[in-house]
Amino acid sequence: MTTQQIERFARPEQWSGHPLIDTDVHINLPGLKTLFPYLAERWQDYITESGMGGLPSNLYPPNAPNMFLPGSKPEQGPPGSSLELLQAQLLDPWDLTYALVNCTYAVDSVHNDDLAAALARALNEWQLHEFLERDPRLRGAAVLPLQNPGFAAREVEWASQHSQFVQVTVPSRSREPLGRRAFWPIYEAAQRAGLVVGIQAGGLSGNPLTPVGWPTYFVEDYVDVPLAFQAQLLSLVTEGVFVQFPDLKMVTIEGGFTWLPALLWRFDKDWKGLRREVPWVDRPPSEIVRDHIRMTIAPLDHPDTPEFMLQVIDQLLCDEMLMFSTDYPQAHFDDPADALPHGLSDALLTKIMSGNALATYRLP
Amino acid sequence: MPKYVVATVDEIPPGHRKVVEIARRSIGVFNVKGSFYAIRNKCPHAGGPMCEGVTSGLVRSDQPGVYDYVMRGEIIRCPWHGWEFEIATGQSWFDPAKTKVRAYPTSVEPGEILAKNPELQAAGYQPGPYAGETYEVEVDRDYVIINL
């Protein structure tokens, strides 16, 4: 296979000299049968005999224009399915110290808990052997069978035994809010192992994408993404997840962050009068969010007045939250310099480029 | 410190309150388990009529799902936004460093003493042998006093 660099897609010169960690890189499964070497014969035959063609994704229509970087699709398989392209197009030209990979294969759409657990394990083994073990710059996020939190917790324990995994991921669009106690075995296992819980945009919950029902257009889907993240943050804090698991870190992946200051203003204000309902939330919710939530920055919002972006970052009142990401192979920026907000202080720039990720993940 | 007689004791049974107007201030007088307390009827948050709120307790917790209900009946919640204050002290319990409502010292004194104007005796005056004509007044009850 010939590999190529994507034109103009590389680390901008002005960021040279600093370590750079990409906290959201996507790898994609070429096809369901790719997992057969990692699946028990029972499940191989089950898939073949039942005619399962692959798991659906509601993230992006497969041929939506401008979704993927031009040239990021290998000759065979979807963009993100080739390690060689990933190395040639992202790891090398961006001179990444680490890249944290995510795989958004829709294991959560399977209604059979046993099959979901088998698929999650197969995906994670595939990821480990075919990506993570083949490039020391890569670190993984284990996919969890969220439909059965007990099975999911077992998968967290399995992942924790491989130092290449630094994160486990759950979808932002879960079947019920992620703070609920039924999910706590996952958080307990993650805290014990020092693994971060990543909340990845997407998921096939069966619930409408928005609180007002199904949107019509893809642009609505895309802009609606933060709604699920907002609901999840409210749930995680009010249910007391971070009281129960004080060392747990969670990362919102592809969820944006410009909406956060306003959400926290409202959350703090209403907590003052309603805190007796959730007495374990014994300090302002904004403090809890700042202590426990980290956010990947892609896709980055681009206000017409660039200073507005810096004001929002100031309003976060925390330098520890934001982490650099490209979301490769998705196309989020025409100019690589737009991968980070312009006008950041050097100290904050360094934290976003690598410092915050180093403080969050179990990286050497 | 001026004293204001605001109610008879039996007018405010335990768990009840009376809102009075003294010196152009609205003040709530509460009987909490037999003790009387007075706090300003104005929430420091947004000026709400705090003494019209419900009296309740504080819910504490060290762990999600575990509830420790303390100070039942000793807490007032402003009817506007639910902010909580301790009736005895005016202390808030969500933002102790920044927010407090004014509390006033109260006392209960028998009417007989009030009628005899104890301040004169305290100042060293003795009643003289001559007295003007007086009329019987009701002094056989106890009164709640606010020291403003």
Side-chain angles (χ1 to χ4, degrees):
Chain A
M1 183 188 297
T2 57
T3 58
Q4 58 173 333
Q5 288 199 4
I6 297 173
E7 190 181 359
R8 296 178 66 225
F9 186 73
R11 183 209 284 235
E13 281 177 18
Q14 60 264 39
W15 306 349
S16 61
H18 294 297
L20 186 60
I21 297 176
D22 191 338
T23 56
D24 183 28
V25 174
H26 288 270
I27 56 171
N28 286 316
L29 195 68
L32 191 49
K33 290 192 172 164
T34 310
L35 294 181
F36 276 16
Y38 306 105
L39 279 171
E41 287 175 349
R42 184 266 185 282
W43 293 120
Q44 293 178 33
D45 286 357
Y46 181 96
I47 288 168
T48 306
E49 291 164 15
S50 63
M52 274 179 75
L55 302 184
S57 166
N58 72 343
L59 271 181
Y60 313 107
N63 293 318
N66 304 322
M67 286 309 302
F68 293 101
L69 289 162
S72 64
K73 187 181 183 314
E75 288 167 21
Q76 300 225 316
S81 59
S82 157
L83 174 64
E84 289 73 27
L85 276 187
L86 176 62
Q87 290 165 326
Q89 298 185 332
L90 180 73
L91 299 175
D92 298 341
W94 283 79
D95 188 20
L96 294 177
T97 307
Y98 295 107
L100 275 52
V101 301
N102 286 303
C103 182
T104 55
Y105 204 56
V107 170
D108 60 308
S109 69
V110 175
H111 290 284
N112 179 329
D113 288 6
D114 296 320
L115 176 58
L119 286 171
R121 173 63 56 81
L123 261 180
N124 294 330
E125 292 204 50
W126 165 78
Q127 175 184 175
L128 178 65
H129 297 311
E130 308 208 13
F131 281 86
L132 308 181
E133 287 178 346
R134 291 190 180 176
D135 193 307
R137 294 168 290 188
L138 295 179
R139 290 294 184 277
V143 175
L144 303 184
L146 190 64
Q147 47 276 76
N148 185 316
F151 289 178
R154 287 213 311 244
E155 197 60 21
V156 176
E157 283 162 17
W158 176 85
S160 73
Q161 294 159 19
H162 302 276
S163 60
Q164 290 92 343
F165 286 105
V166 297
Q167 183 165 241
V168 295
T169 49
V170 295
S172 66
R173 295 190 51 231
S174 49
R175 293 181 192 180
E176 59 178 335
L178 286 169
R180 291 281 175 83
R181 285 176 214 170
F183 294 121
W184 288 10
I186 297 170
Y187 307 143
E188 185 179 6
Q191 176 180 261
R192 193 166 51 239
L195 290 171
V196 170
V197 176
I199 308 174
Q200 163 71 50
L204 288 154
S205 65
N207 296 318
L209 190 63
T210 82
V212 294
W214 291 99
T216 309
Y217 299 104
F218 180 45
V219 65
E220 285 180 276
D221 284 21
Y222 210 71
V223 181
D224 276 330
V225 162
L227 300 180
F229 283 94
Q230 295 182 29
Q232 300 293 17
L233 291 194
L234 296 177
S235 170
L236 291 164
V237 171
T238 55
E239 297 274 3
V241 167
F242 302 114
V243 175
Q244 191 77 13
F245 306 106
D247 298 326
L248 187 66
K249 289 277 196 295
M250 298 182 83
V251 171
T252 62
I253 302 169
E254 285 181 58
F257 62 86
T258 52
W259 44 265
L260 185 65
L263 185 80
L264 295 182
W265 299 337
R266 193 180 184 92
F267 202 177
D268 279 359
K269 185 194 80 173
D270 290 330
W271 166 79
K272 285 179 181 173
L274 298 170
R275 53 179 286 286
R276 58 191 290 108
E277 190 186 11
V278 288
W280 42 85
V281 183
D282 57 359
R283 57 194 178 122
S286 61
E287 291 181 17
I288 298 170
V289 168
R290 289 185 191 109
D291 282 353
H292 292 276
I293 300 293
R294 302 289 174 259
M295 307 173 115
T296 72
I297 60 164
L300 195 63
D301 298 336
H302 281 289
D304 289 338
T305 305
E307 293 75 30
F308 288 176
M309 174 59 85
L310 296 178
Q311 289 166 10
V312 170
I313 291 174
D314 280 349
Q315 289 164 3
L316 292 173
L317 301 178
C318 179
D319 281 356
E320 321 291 326
M321 296 188 74
L322 303 181
M323 303 192 297
F324 174 77
S325 61
T326 59
D327 205 8
Y328 173 93
Q330 289 186 58
H332 285 309
F333 28 83
D334 299 326
D335 181 348
D338 285 341
L340 275 175
H342 298 272
L344 297 172
S345 70
D346 277 351
L348 184 52
L349 185 71
T350 311
K351 284 188 168 183
I352 295 176
M353 286 175 68
S354 64
N356 291 341
L358 288 169
T360 301
Y361 294 98
R362 56 174 205 187
L363 293 166
Chain B
M1 188 179 276
K3 293 183 170 189
Y4 294 85
V5 179
V6 293
T8 59
V9 164
D10 53 9
E11 205 181 332
I12 312 176
H16 287 69
R17 76 194 74 176
K18 180 182 181 184
V19 176
V20 297
E21 192 86 16
I22 321 175
R24 290 184 291 173
R25 294 178 187 83
S26 180
I27 292 175
V29 192
F30 293 79
N31 181 337
V32 179
K33 299 169 184 169
S35 298
F36 289 91
Y37 304 104
I39 53 176
R40 188 87 185 262
N41 185 22
K42 186 175 180 182
C43 184
H45 168 220
M50 197 166 69
C51 298
E52 294 173 14
V54 296
T55 54
S56 184
L58 284 180
V59 191
R60 285 180 57 262
S61 176
D62 297 324
Q63 193 186 350
V66 177
Y67 303 87
D68 183 13
Y69 193 40
V70 297
M71 299 181 74
R72 186 170 183 227
E74 299 176 37
I75 300 294
I76 182 92
R77 283 161 57 202
C78 178
W80 280 7
H81 300 101
W83 288 25
E84 300 161 325
F85 297 86
E86 185 178 347
I87 295 168
T89 62
Q91 181 66 62
S92 75
W93 285 99
F94 59 91
D95 190 12
K98 292 184 192 155
T99 308
K100 187 173 175 160
V101 71
R102 178 69 188 268
Y104 303 98
T106 62
S107 56
V108 174
E109 294 181 15
E112 193 179 356
I113 288 180
L114 287 172
K116 283 180 177 167
N117 198 342
E119 283 181 15
L120 284 173
Q121 288 174 10
Y125 288 96
Q126 294 297 318
Y130 303 103
E133 190 176 359
T134 59
Y135 305 93
E136 190 178 347
V137 292
E138 188 181 14
V139 293
D140 59 341
R141 288 192 286 177
D142 290 344
Y143 290 83
V144 180
I145 316 279
I146 293 179
N147 298 281
L148 205 58

